[in-house]
Amino acid sequence: MSNRKYKQAVLQRRGSTAIQRPGLSRPIRVALDAGIVTPECTVFDYGCGRGSDLRLLRKGSYDATGWDPVHQPKARFRPAEVVNLGYVVNVIEDPFERAEALRSAWKLAGGVLVVAARMTHERRQLADGGTGFSDGTVTSRGTFQKFYTQSELRQWINETLPDGTPPAVPAAPGVFFVFRDSQRRQGFIASRYTRRRAVPKVRQSDQLFEQHRDLLEPLMSFVAERGRLPRGLEGDQFREVAEAFGSLKQAMSVVRRVTGPEQWDSHREARRAELLLFLALSRFNETSAEAAGASRSRRKIGRPRLSDLPEDLQHDMRDFFGTYRAACEKGDRVLFSAGNRDELEVAVATAPIGKKLPGALYVHIDALDQLPLLLRIYEGCARSYLGSVDGANVIKLNRIEPKVSYLAYPTFDREAHPALAWSMRVAMGWCDVKCRDFGESANPPILHRKETLLAPSDERYERFSILTRQEEKLCLLEEPATIGTRDGWERRLAEYKVEIRGHRVVKKSHAASRTQYDGR
């Protein structure tokens, strides 16, 4: 076979891995959810396959183009704000060509490069396990797949791209973002630890406040989000407020008087905790990178300099801590405390929410920000390695070993005792990820006492609590080791001649009417 025909055959085999998807690919979904892909930016899909992402993005009025060596070989390479290199490098069997594809895609990325590849746990999906070839696997269809661990993929990206490139940021398992601009990178990382906060409601009337309410509302939103007054150029958009009240500080004094100071003070404390979380985890990234054995001079992973932060974050550091050095020292202290098992146990004991078992603390992802700071750092260490785990809604913090698991209960809201669909566990000491799929299990683990995973302010809390009180009244939850699976729970219900309807316990009866147990 001639060299040209051989290359064509190789391309055809690679092209056969492209599939027609009914929805967007995972890396594009992750980029959309993270706010990386927006209607205002341009998108280029490097290795777009059959073009499913392009069609769906264009249908949503996104400016998206792409190229593929097999399915769209005549398309032009176009620089774009966001370039997607999704599931391309894992089908290239030549390591040199694989690296060239990454570098070529990076050259086109004006803002962010999205890189996605298949993970090692996905190898189990191969029908025959595949056959080893080069540094990957040849499938039964004759196609090549290179499977990566999360740390291996990050290290390969960082070491393959040119020196000085900001380190790749884990966006999700097997998906990374590479930012062109360091400040934008740090702003994105910090935003992952930020929760939206509601503006406190007005408690009492005030003529001056009502007269300038429209002017004050944008200022109130700013302070609720950042926990501080605007500084520097941030104040330009509030000039009318300063003129009307004499200063922004005086304006907020009026606001605090009519709304009450308590929630504003709470917002400031919440923002301070978010900043400490960001600082602690930036130091953790530095130490974990060194543990992985990668060249620190090339990766440059670690806590950023103050000048590397966006201007708003620089103002945050000065306002909350006085100096960036003082901020970093506080971040170090809480990070080291999070590594102390005794201090973590105290944090678990004092946590206002969470299902507390001897070996672990379970919490719903919606209530994560209600945990003590040390536990948020503990979870954040795992998330800084994995990124966001899409589909997971319950987090398990191991109390014995440094392990965090992300659990998926798709029917958490609908079913009284939802079944576990899958789990992803991170062992942080050795950067190991293990996945378990319970989707085909006839007897999967199930949840009880769902309200303990939520904050009391959650609208679901009371409904779930009523069910738990009913079950406790009937002694259904005794001997928990015997009811942790679907079969065990169904045996318990049959023994007590009851069943669950919605989120209520009812007596089993062939009659049309059913006795409903009151758990109030």
Side-chain angles (χ1 to χ4, degrees), residues 351-364:
I353 60 166
K355 186 175 183 179
K356 300 174 185 179
L357 299 179
L361 173 73
Y362 294 77
V363 64
H364 194 281

Side-chain angles (χ1 to χ4, degrees), residues 26 76 171 181 190 202-203 300 319 499 519:
R26 185 161 166 270
R76 293 184 177 183
D181 179 72
V202 175
R203 295 180 181 176
K300 298 181 182 177
D319 191 287
E499 59 187 357

Side-chain angles (χ1 to χ4, degrees), residues 201-267:
K201 294 181 180 179
V202 175
R203 295 180 181 176
Q204 62 186 59
S205 61
D206 182 279
Q207 184 177 356
L208 185 60
F209 176 83
E210 293 299 336
Q211 182 182 349
H212 298 93
R213 187 166 192 152
D214 290 344
L215 273 180
L216 288 169
E217 285 180 347
L219 176 64
M220 293 165 67
S221 296
F222 180 95
V223 177
E225 177 186 354
R226 306 219 65 98
R228 60 172 175 81
L229 288 170
R231 295 172 62 122
L233 296 177
E234 294 173 336
D236 289 352
Q237 60 182 307
F238 303 110
R239 283 179 180 174
E240 290 184 60
V241 180
E243 291 171 0
F245 290 86
S247 69
L248 295 181
K249 185 176 181 179
Q250 290 178 348
M252 275 306 296
S253 294
V254 173
V255 170
R256 288 171 67 91
R257 186 171 69 242
V258 301
T259 60
E262 299 85 1
Q263 200 165 348
W264 294 108
D265 294 340
S266 176
H267 285 349

Side-chain angles (χ1 to χ4, degrees), residues 276 279-280 282-283 303-306 317 321 323-334:
L276 286 173
L279 289 165
S282 66
R283 177 63 182 272
R303 180 171 289 150
R305 298 169 298 182
L306 181 63
M317 298 301 169
F321 305 105
T323 66
Y324 188 51
R325 180 176 180 177
C328 292
E329 289 173 352
K330 291 181 183 295
D332 288 346
R333 285 198 290 272
V334 295

Side-chain angles (χ1 to χ4, degrees), residues 254-357:
V254 173
V255 170
R256 288 171 67 91
R257 186 171 69 242
V258 301
T259 60
E262 299 85 1
Q263 200 165 348
W264 294 108
D265 294 340
S266 176
H267 285 349
R268 182 168 176 84
E269 281 304 305
R271 181 58 183 161
R272 184 177 184 275
E274 290 170 352
L275 294 171
L276 286 173
L277 184 59
F278 165 71
L279 289 165
L281 293 176
S282 66
R283 177 63 182 272
F284 173 78
N285 279 337
E286 178 180 19
T287 56
S288 64
E290 292 175 9
S295 170
R296 186 177 173 188
S297 63
R298 292 192 57 134
R299 293 164 67 91
K300 298 181 182 177
I301 292 177
R303 180 171 289 150
R305 298 169 298 182
L306 181 63
S307 59
D308 288 333
L309 302 181
E311 187 177 5
D312 56 356
L313 272 178
Q314 294 184 35
H315 290 323
D316 287 341
M317 298 301 169
R318 296 188 179 103
D319 191 287
F320 283 87
F321 305 105
T323 66
Y324 188 51
R325 180 176 180 177
C328 292
E329 289 173 352
K330 291 181 183 295
D332 288 346
R333 285 198 290 272
V334 295
L335 175 63
F336 297 147
S337 294
N340 184 303
R341 303 307 299 179
D342 292 336
E343 293 196 43
L344 278 177
E345 274 302 300
V346 172
V348 170
T350 58
I353 60 166
K355 186 175 183 179
K356 300 174 185 179
L357 299 179

